[in-house]
Amino acid sequence: MADTSCCKLHAIIFPLPYQGHINPFVNLAIKLASKGLTITFVHAEHIHHTLTKSNMDKETDLFSAVRKSGLDIRYSTITDGFPVEFDRPLHLDEYWRSLLNDFPARVDEFIGNMIGSADSPPVSVLIADSFFAWSPGIARKYDLLNVSFFTQPALVFTVGCHWDLVTQNGHFPVKGDNEEELKYVPGVDSISTKDLMSYFKEEEIETVVHKAVFAAFHEMNRADFVLHYTVQELESKTLDTLSKNQPTYAIGPVYSFTNRPETTRVAKSLRSELDCTKWLDSKPPGSVLYVSFGSVVQTSKQVIQEIAYGLLLSEVNFLWVAREDILKSGDSDIFPDGFQDEIKGKGLIVPWCDQIMVLSNRGVGGFVTHCGWNSTLESMWCGVPMICNPVAYDQPTNRKLVVEDLKIGINLSDGVSIHREEVAEKISGFMSGSASQGFRDQAEKVKKILHDALDNGGSSERNLDKFIYDLRAKIINL
Ligand code: UDP
């Protein structure tokens, strides 16, 4: 075996500028630094601005507290070319067109300057979000090892990376409502067309977001290493198949060190969090249904209304995170008239919370979720079964893992329409019906798998150590 203890690794890290990507990237940075790597973490300027505002952080360096505790994480920002106050979600196409076409040159210049700077230790590794298609090209230009960090399940990775195969088989774009089973995607026994990611199923497939996602999936298999934000035991067949192609490491989830005080001192949340502990503590154990649709997706007033009245009819306690921008219409009046009065004592509505803190509270017994992958992993980590209401992107595919494969959740609706009576019936059965204990037991089993993976000697811990060993070995042998 090569002696790989000698070289000090310095990695530059670029997260995608969205909440669901920032969280795993910050945790990964701290984890790698705690294993001896030097890290330079790079946020987009507008993300830096939002983080400092939401967390009332006066520091210009978000990682200064971590550095004081002895970890070598340096911090920098990069402009995406738009003013900080530019409304990116409102101008999604323009924003993504620029991320696809103009941003790579900015990254190139940033990395070139850093490598030429006397203040920076030599850089050897580029860790970028897998959805940045520019990373293999820029890594090659500067002789850096390219690490692609995929923050969604391995199932999504293999389906996305076999887009061409799906197209050859006539399943992209998915036609009409006819459901068909795909039995040819490497590492997947079978997946229905309805469970494919939303960008496989849209009528318009020439959008800039499609182009960006296509380009990224094409580049992912050029990476020197892929880090998967999942757990080996949850997706072993898929991961084993992927590892035949490329060095592949399942390292998720990365929370083992959230109890390290310095981790909690890094601002990660793009919105101000409301502390719901007192309210949750006042409710009987397992009696509260937590409702949240993540940080990005939007829905209609009609869907909110049916879920709202379904919750009331079910008579369960609930805590609902209703972002002010949850409605597609832009309307800030989210709930039906009088709803807030009707729920007094039973329900609490907040604009944002510390989700892991909520899910770990004993009061919470279920999670109505959009199946974002972070939310899904966090729910598994806390042993909370789920009621799934996927909206877009990878969420329908994540739902399959939760409901069909792991059996730790149910569907909120048939995926076509939502009716309050059905919602109420599903919720009541899920929280206290005959099948309820079965879901809780199964969720406990999955929770144990996740916690075991992160224990010393667990699969995620071992995989991360192996990844660092392989990085060093590759650098020595270059
Ligand atoms: N989140 C949070 N507070 C909330 C709602 C969500 O901190 O009130 C966090 C949640 O813990 C998760 C992230 O936001 O880590 C959302 O990521 P996910 O992948 O679930 O969904 P996305 O926002 O990307 O659709």
Side-chain angles (χ1 to χ4, degrees):
M1 259 193 188
D3 177 9
T4 58
S5 56
C6 57
C7 60
K8 176 87 178 161
L9 295 172
H10 178 190
I12 317 182
I13 293 193
F14 284 88
L16 204 71
Y18 288 96
Q19 186 72 70
H21 297 252
I22 292 168
N23 292 354
F25 266 84
V26 170
N27 291 341
L28 176 69
I30 294 170
K31 185 85 173 179
L32 290 174
S34 72
K35 291 192 178 274
L37 273 73
T38 296
I39 302 292
T40 296
F41 194 99
V42 189
H43 266 317
E45 267 171 18
H46 73 284
I47 293 289
H48 170 82
H49 180 80
T50 312
L51 286 172
T52 44
K53 217 167 88 189
S54 313
N55 296 275
M56 287 184 288
D57 200 329
K58 307 246 170 354
E59 295 283 355
T60 49
D61 179 344
L62 298 182
F63 287 86
S64 62
V66 175
R67 216 169 28 257
K68 279 182 202 133
S69 77
L71 301 187
D72 190 1
I73 308 190
R74 294 131 199 255
Y75 178 59
S76 204
T77 57
I78 184 169
T79 177
D80 59 11
F82 294 99
V84 159
E85 60 281 2
F86 178 69
D87 189 339
R88 289 158 180 81
L90 189 65
H91 303 96
L92 195 69
D93 280 5
E94 185 183 353
Y95 175 50
W96 267 91
R97 191 167 303 112
S98 164
L99 276 188
L100 193 60
N101 300 327
D102 306 332
F103 191 57
R106 293 176 199 280
V107 177
D108 188 337
E109 190 185 352
F110 179 97
I111 293 181
N113 287 342
M114 205 173 137
I115 287 174
S117 152
D119 297 337
S120 167
V123 184
S124 37
V125 185
L126 171 63
I127 304 180
D129 197 293
S130 304
F131 284 103
F132 279 137
W134 45 257
S135 62
I138 293 184
R140 299 259 179 303
K141 174 170 175 185
Y142 292 105
D143 278 336
L144 306 176
L145 289 180
N146 177 219
V147 180
S148 183
F149 183 23
F150 194 71
T151 61
Q152 296 174 358
L155 173 62
V156 174
F157 186 95
T158 190
V159 172
C161 286
H162 292 98
W163 199 310
D164 288 342
L165 182 65
V166 177
T167 308
Q168 283 158 23
N169 279 276
H171 290 126
F172 173 72
V174 172
K175 291 180 208 81
D177 292 335
N178 270 355
E179 278 179 33
E180 281 185 61
E181 287 294 319
L182 282 60
K183 294 186 187 285
Y184 52 80
V185 178
V188 183
D189 288 336
S190 184
I191 181 167
S192 159
T193 44
K194 80 170 178 357
D195 294 331
L196 296 177
M197 293 84 89
S198 63
Y199 36 84
F200 276 78
K201 299 182 287 192
E202 280 148 10
E203 273 174 30
E204 173 62 85
I205 54 166
E206 294 292 324
T207 69
V208 64
V209 173
H210 279 88
K211 285 193 182 117
V213 172
F214 270 130
F217 275 121
H218 274 292
E219 292 299 318
M220 283 178 211
N221 55 21
R222 291 179 65 207
D224 296 304
F225 302 91
V226 183
L227 298 178
H228 288 273
Y229 197 48
T230 186
V231 172
Q232 181 68 35
E233 290 79 359
L234 291 186
E235 297 192 83
S236 55
K237 181 171 179 185
T238 311
L239 288 159
D240 288 347
T241 306
L242 290 171
S243 69
K244 290 182 188 138
N245 265 355
Q246 223 172 354
T248 294
Y249 309 81
I251 56 142
V254 209
Y255 322 123
S256 52
F257 43 89
T258 39
N259 39 17
R260 286 175 70 122
E262 63 269 24
T263 314
T264 51
R265 281 187 291 174
V266 180
K268 276 187 295 198
S269 181
L270 293 168
R271 297 164 195 261
S272 304
E273 293 164 347
L274 241 87
D275 189 351
C276 310
T277 312
K278 215 165 139 203
W279 188 85
L280 287 170
D281 284 348
S282 74
K283 302 295 175 209
S287 71
V288 178
L289 193 58
Y290 170 59
V291 185
S292 169
F293 301 123
S295 63
V296 177
V297 290
Q298 296 181 309
T299 187
S300 68
K301 207 162 182 168
Q302 193 259 339
V303 166
I304 296 283
Q305 188 167 305
E306 293 307 304
I307 297 176
Y309 285 123
L311 277 163
L312 267 187
L313 285 171
S314 75
E315 297 186 351
V316 302
N317 296 319
F318 65 91
L319 166 61
W320 190 334
V321 171
R323 295 180 347 248
E324 82 285 353
D325 59 347
I326 187 74
L327 291 181
K328 266 187 220 144
S329 59
D331 193 347
S332 57
D333 219 359
I334 301 170
F335 292 99
D337 286 346
F339 182 69
Q340 306 257 17
D341 294 328
E342 286 180 81
I343 63 171
K344 286 224 167 79
K346 282 241 153 259
L348 178 67
I349 295 173
V350 296
W352 197 249
C353 67
D354 179 334
Q355 183 163 290
I356 298 190
M357 202 190 253
V358 165
L359 287 168
S360 349
N361 190 291
R362 290 181 66 233
V364 173
F367 183 5
V368 177
T369 174
H370 70 309
C371 300
W373 187 237
N374 288 278
S375 296
T376 306
L377 279 179
E378 289 160 13
S379 208
M380 291 181 193
W381 176 256
C382 298
V384 176
M386 288 163 256
I387 303 183
C388 300
N389 184 45
V391 181
Y393 309 113
D394 56 327
Q395 298 150 23
T397 318
N398 304 346
R399 183 217 65 86
K400 166 183 153 52
L401 284 172
V402 171
V403 177
E404 323 293 345
D405 299 354
L406 298 170
K407 308 202 183 329
I408 50 172
I410 60 169
N411 301 324
L412 182 64
S413 70
D414 58 9
V416 180
S417 53
I418 293 191
H419 303 287
R420 63 191 71 180
E421 292 77 15
E422 188 188 2
V423 170
E425 196 186 311
K426 290 270 176 68
I427 290 175
S428 305
F430 181 77
M431 291 299 275
S432 53
S434 54
S436 151
Q437 193 55 44
F439 284 117
R440 289 176 198 214
D441 292 346
Q442 186 61 15
E444 276 303 313
K445 283 188 199 152
V446 171
K447 171 180 174 178
K448 185 165 177 343
I449 293 175
L450 262 68
H451 285 250
D452 285 351
L454 288 187
D455 266 357
N456 268 342
S459 60
S460 290
E461 248 339 85
R462 282 197 317 273
N463 289 340
L464 196 71
D465 288 341
K466 170 112 179 32
F467 161 66
I468 296 170
Y469 178 90
D470 292 348
L471 264 184
R472 287 213 166 93
K474 187 142 186 168
I475 287 170
I476 289 168
N477 293 325
L478 277 180

